[in-house]
Amino acid sequence: NAGCPVISVEAASTTGWERYSHYQIGMRSFGCSAPGAKCFEKFGFTPAAIAEKAKNVAAFYSGKAVAHLLVDI
């Protein structure tokens, strides 16, 4: 993973993912009660939202050293 930022996507808590990824996309609050698709949209678990976050992470790390993760993936 040297030189390439790793992003985790978890439709639940991000707790613990910092060991395996440089940026975590996931729940940071309690959920909501609605149909699944509506919840995914509200919390940013759509392909477009994830792609936008990934672009931002790539831009942040562009030209910077990427820290080695605690474990090899």
Side-chain angles (χ1 to χ4, degrees), residues 22-66:
H22 297 97
Y23 184 81
Q24 301 80 41
I25 299 170
M27 297 293 295
R28 290 183 167 85
S29 65
F30 290 103
C32 69
S33 181
K38 289 286 185 189
C39 289
F40 271 42
E41 185 176 336
K42 175 182 172 71
F43 292 110
F45 294 115
T46 63
I50 292 168
E52 184 64 28
K53 289 177 185 177
K55 287 178 192 175
N56 291 338
V57 171
F60 174 82
Y61 280 101
S62 180
K64 297 178 184 174
V66 178

Side-chain angles (χ1 to χ4, degrees), residues 9-14 17 25-27 40 45:
V9 179
E10 171 63 61
S13 175
T14 59
W17 281 102
I25 299 170
M27 297 293 295
F40 271 42
F45 294 115

